[in-house]
Amino acid sequence: MIDAASLAELDGALPGRVSTAPADLTLYSRDQGPVLEPVLPGAVVRAHTVADVQALLRWATRHAVAIVSRGAGSGVSGGAHATTGSVILSLERMNRILEINADDETAVVEAGVINAELNDAVAEYGLMYAPDPASYRWSTIGGNVATNAGGLRCAKYGVTRDSVLALDVVLADGTLISTGHRTFKGVAGYDLTALMTGSEGTLGVIVGITVRLRYLPRSVHTLAAFFDDFPLAAAGVLAIGRARVQPAILELLDGRTLEALDGAHGSDLRSRGGSLLLVRTDGYGAAAEAEAIRTALVGLGASVSEEDSEEADRLVDLRRHSRGDEVDDLYRVGEDVAVPKSQLVHYVAALEAMAERHNVQLKVVAHAGDGNLHPTFWVERSEGAEAQERLEAALDESIRCALDLGGTITGEHGVGQYKRRWLAWEQSPEVLRLQAEIKKVFDPLGILNPGKAIVS
């Protein structure tokens, strides 16, 4: 635990940055993920500069205090949950866009820059930052990098790692290092930038990011393809792939998700079909690609319409809200598995069967273009402990099934705290041990986000 003397030392080193107010401790104690054990931090530090972060980590090293770094707290795997005796490091106020180089197609940002704000800033140059998680309006670039976040445009442009060129990172002892390069290509030494990306704050604190920008599409076409049932819509994903057309967005929503969106937003999606495949093409060939996709999906029996720009944007925005808000009378857990695209139809059918077998409710959305599914299971809290046990059994089976099909326990949300229980199902003891040894090199005292991301 943090004693009064060490806390006073911290406050002296970072005047005006440290808070122990109960409201702040509660607010910063967790992210959006399930909480296994509620814990309040000993303090919250709102860093304004790289020097602030360095001072905090030097203090933490002297006193062996755990540091949990966070951006906006938009993660859903518990990666930013407080641990016992920890200090929460908030990077939200390190929010400057330091440089935009339109000719090099790069930007340099601090960790607290909001994803959407970067996109607004580079749009005037005809550029975009491609990674676009559903939380892009409030999640930070630093948090996106720490979790290697995905998003709707992953099918064409890849995940966050594919747009990160270089990082500024403060190590556990306060040392500042720079990794990577400003060029699109570069293979000197080990790729520490890729290692840091997705490391969930366990190897260092990311304070600066150099990102690659992409061209803002001049033409965009959006198709809404409604199918009678969900497995048939999943088959539509394979049909698009076999047509050898690469959409920018390829999202799959089942009937229960459509019903939930209709209830929350007044849309009429469910009346149009039993499931929706939302497709967007972009670039100069967008019209031809959209027509090829339409032909492939109509051949499977889909009702396909091309949406005008206003309705298209509305559909994409509805997809971003498809996870839904927390409901007090439900115990609900959303998952983040990924399977090879060839196994989508099998996995969707298996999910529906296991939900019925365990007597739990299920809805599914998916970044179908890369096989990343978000099944959400839930039960009524009023059903008690037995219902929770059924829910946990369904979750475990959904993970086992994904792994059996050649998949992974997390496609984009990260392991965090919540999914560590499944990590050994996917990774061998040798790999788990190697990861623990890597962490010791970067963080010999084990003070950086302990109990997250890896098994150590």
Side-chain angles (χ1 to χ4, degrees), residues 254-265 267 269-271 274:
D254 73 352
R256 282 190 176 273
T257 301
L258 301 183
E259 291 169 4
L261 288 172
D262 289 344
H265 302 282
S267 52
L269 300 175
R270 186 63 178 84
S271 67

Side-chain angles (χ1 to χ4, degrees), residues 180-261:
H181 35 75
R182 295 176 66 95
T183 56
F184 293 166
K185 296 170 71 175
V187 294
Y190 294 142
D191 192 348
L192 297 181
T193 303
L195 177 62
M196 288 289 179
T197 304
S199 62
E200 302 186 46
T202 62
L203 300 179
V205 178
I206 295 166
V207 292
I209 308 105
T210 300
V211 298
R212 176 180 185 175
L213 303 174
R214 309 282 180 160
Y215 302 139
L216 197 62
R218 295 298 181 96
S219 179
V220 172
H221 288 255
T222 303
L223 301 177
F226 287 89
F227 291 83
D228 289 339
D229 59 49
F230 195 46
L232 192 56
V237 176
L238 295 181
I240 292 172
R242 288 167 182 157
R244 299 300 182 250
V245 183
Q246 180 60 72
I249 292 176
L250 183 54
E251 298 293 309
L252 183 59
L253 296 81
D254 73 352
R256 282 190 176 273
T257 301
L258 301 183
E259 291 169 4
L261 288 172

